[in-house]
Amino acid sequence: MKLQGSTVLVTGANRGLGLAFAKALLAAGAQKVYAGARDPSTVTLPGVIPVKLDVTNPEDVAAAAAIASDVDIVINNAGISGGALLLDAKDGQENLRRIMETNLYGIHAMSVAFAPVLKKNGGGALVNMLSALSWLSLSSTSAYSVSKAAAWALTNSLRNELREQGTQVLGIHAGYIDTDMVSHVDAPKTSPDDVAQRTLEALERGDSEVLADETSRQVKAGFNAPHPAYLSTT
């Protein structure tokens, strides 16, 4: 997938990794970058086109597909975390639903809306921001891990369904990224600029998966270990 002259939509593009994607795309020569955000007034990066886009809102998604009808790359970056534990009798189920609405069903809704757009524009690429937590769960990330595991499976299934129309489907895995979402976490973090750059390089190579940092590489490499991380991590 060539980035020079491309037209791209990034969800959750007003800050953090989404902002890093938008900056990297402009630097790579993208012709047009649509920056999706729930509140488009929070998109302040010069050179991008703000789009009102809450991926859990069907009207927003449909409107974005109409506005950005010239895209050949869609980057599903928007995501949320936090909240109650899975077995919290009061809030666990509602919290899981809330996170799944964005992290799983939001990706699905965007994929349904934009698959015909990508097909019309020659195939293009669909990029889904996943996580090393697609493959393991920490005590503080249980609902988030469920959503990312489901999003990983969704990404693999979308790859199968979109292959015939020539759409590249790229899943990105990383551990903690240095953004507001994990500002409270005391652990090694990868620069969002690094993740964005590795993603764009993978797009241009035609890859299907990015292991964007050492954490994601170690977790996946350990699948066949006697005690893999997903069985023992707390």
Side-chain angles (χ1 to χ4, degrees):
M1 183 71 214
K2 294 298 182 185
L3 295 172
Q4 183 73 37
S6 62
T7 300
V8 190
L9 169 66
V10 182
T11 69
N14 56 327
R15 62 179 183 168
L17 181 57
L19 177 58
F21 276 131
K23 290 179 178 178
L25 287 161
L26 292 174
Q31 171 181 275
K32 188 185 294 185
V33 177
Y34 294 101
R38 290 182 176 181
D39 179 358
S41 71
T42 62
V43 176
T44 58
L45 177 66
V48 303
I49 301 169
V51 175
K52 181 181 183 299
L53 180 54
D54 176 348
V55 299
T56 70
N57 184 322
E59 293 180 357
D60 278 10
V61 172
I67 293 167
S69 62
D70 53 346
V71 297
D72 39 39
I73 302 172
V74 174
I75 299 181
N76 284 313
N77 165 75
I80 60 173
S81 65
L85 297 176
L86 291 173
L87 297 181
D88 184 305
K90 180 182 177 183
D91 298 318
Q93 192 172 68
E94 183 56 37
N95 183 62
L96 179 60
R97 285 197 183 100
R98 178 183 68 88
I99 292 177
M100 294 285 277
E101 281 294 329
T102 297
N103 296 1
L104 176 67
Y105 293 112
I107 291 177
H108 181 252
M110 288 291 294
S111 302
V112 170
F114 279 91
V117 175
L118 294 174
K119 181 179 181 179
K120 173 177 67 73
N121 294 332
L126 181 71
V127 181
N128 291 342
M129 188 62 214
L130 305 172
S131 175
L133 292 170
S134 304
W135 302 321
L136 57 83
S137 182
L138 307 176
S139 58
S140 59
T141 68
S142 50
Y144 181 81
S145 293
V146 171
S147 73
K148 288 299 183 178
W152 179 44
L154 173 65
T155 300
N156 294 334
S157 297
L158 290 171
R159 188 177 296 114
N160 291 334
E161 294 196 14
L162 292 173
R163 185 174 290 114
E164 186 175 348
Q165 71 174 44
T167 298
Q168 177 186 356
V169 177
L170 176 62
I172 312 156
H173 296 272
Y176 290 123
I177 302 172
D178 193 9
T179 65
D180 290 346
M181 182 183 286
V182 294
S183 60
H184 62 288
V185 176
D186 182 15
K189 299 171 187 175
T190 303
S191 161
D193 294 334
D194 287 347
V195 174
Q197 187 58 44
R198 287 168 188 162
T199 300
L200 299 194
E201 290 169 0
L203 260 176
E204 293 217 301
R205 288 193 302 265
D207 292 351
S208 296
E209 184 172 80
V210 181
L211 305 180
D213 63 0
E214 189 58 27
T215 298
S216 58
R217 289 188 287 271
Q218 286 182 355
V219 172
K220 191 168 188 189
F223 272 18
N224 293 324
H227 299 287
Y230 65 84
L231 293 181
S232 58
T233 301
T234 59

